[in-house]
Amino acid sequence: MKRLFWLGVGVVTGVVLSRKAAETARQATPAGLALNLGDAVRELAGAVGSFGAEVRAGMNEREQELHDMVEERAGVTAPRAEGRHAAARRPVRRARRAEG
């Protein structure tokens, strides 16, 4: 019975190590390396995107704080911009020259 137990342990260990070695070999191929590199680039792009979103949110929050502070000190209510460069997104109306 002991021998049968150790035979089973040996077979299971051999199968596990064989699968692990095959997976490691697959990752070392050019296709496996490209897959790993692609995953890393996607993860980096996501991190950069979320960092940019957090920076923009912080900038908008600080801009709002400064706007409130100016209103409080000056006692004047100024029109609020809808985020950074909101004025640049508004259409520009140009004065027409009088022809004649």
Side-chain angles (χ1 to χ4, degrees):
M1 196 65 174
K2 269 184 166 179
R3 289 183 180 181
L4 188 58
F5 170 76
W6 287 112
L7 177 66
V9 169
V11 168
V12 169
T13 303
V15 168
V16 168
L17 291 176
S18 173
R19 288 187 178 183
K20 185 73 171 173
E23 178 64 22
T24 302
R26 187 194 61 77
Q27 287 180 356
T29 63
L33 292 173
L35 182 64
N36 289 341
L37 181 62
D39 290 343
V41 169
R42 274 189 293 279
E43 184 178 336
L44 178 63
V48 168
S50 67
F51 175 74
E54 289 178 19
V55 168
R56 283 188 300 277
M59 286 172 38
N60 288 337
E61 182 179 331
R62 181 63 179 151
E63 184 177 359
Q64 183 63 40
E65 290 172 4
L66 292 172
H67 185 77
D68 292 342
M69 189 184 308
V70 167
E71 280 185 355
E72 181 182 313
R73 290 185 181 175
V76 177
T77 303
R80 295 185 184 264
E82 299 161 358
R84 189 169 186 219
H85 303 297
R89 289 185 290 226
R90 292 187 197 129
V92 176
R93 294 186 184 175
R94 298 182 185 203
R96 293 187 182 187
R97 288 194 253 177
E99 294 181 24

